[in-house]
Amino acid sequence: MGVLPLQFKAGESAASLGLTGREVFDIEGLTKIQPRQDVTVTVTAEDGTRRSFKVTARLDSPIEVKYYQNGGILDTVLQGLAASNH
């Protein structure tokens, strides 16, 4: 629905990375996203410290990439309907 699902690498988790949920997350590598592509997450903690780690974007097929790029399944369907009415 327009939300990017990310999967930690084997052996990593929010706990093992010390994530609290109060950080700011920046995701790099989305401009030309491909199915199951690794992207970099840079985390800025409340104290301003920054660190990065890799995750896998769980867009598992080209159609899921298209849905994500269009803002979700509903937006993709609406864009298709709008285009067919012209």
Side-chain angles (χ1 to χ4, degrees):
M1 302 311 295
V3 175
L4 181 63
L6 301 175
Q7 181 177 353
F8 291 112
K9 294 297 182 180
E12 294 184 336
S13 67
S16 74
L17 293 168
L19 302 175
T20 66
R22 294 186 302 268
E23 301 87 356
V24 174
F25 298 87
D26 294 302
I27 304 168
E28 302 169 32
L30 300 178
T31 54
K32 295 185 180 184
I33 190 80
Q34 299 295 315
R36 292 194 174 223
Q37 178 179 319
D38 285 351
V39 295
T40 301
V41 176
T42 300
V43 178
T44 304
E46 291 179 295
D47 66 3
T49 59
R50 294 173 56 102
R51 57 197 162 99
S52 298
F53 55 90
K54 296 276 189 187
V55 296
T56 302
R58 288 304 308 266
L59 301 172
D60 296 330
S61 68
I63 193 68
E64 289 182 6
V65 170
K66 181 179 178 183
Y67 291 157
Y68 174 73
Q69 290 171 331
N70 288 337
I73 295 171
L74 180 59
D75 288 341
T76 301
V77 170
L78 293 175
Q79 288 175 18
L81 290 173
S84 67
N85 288 329
H86 288 103

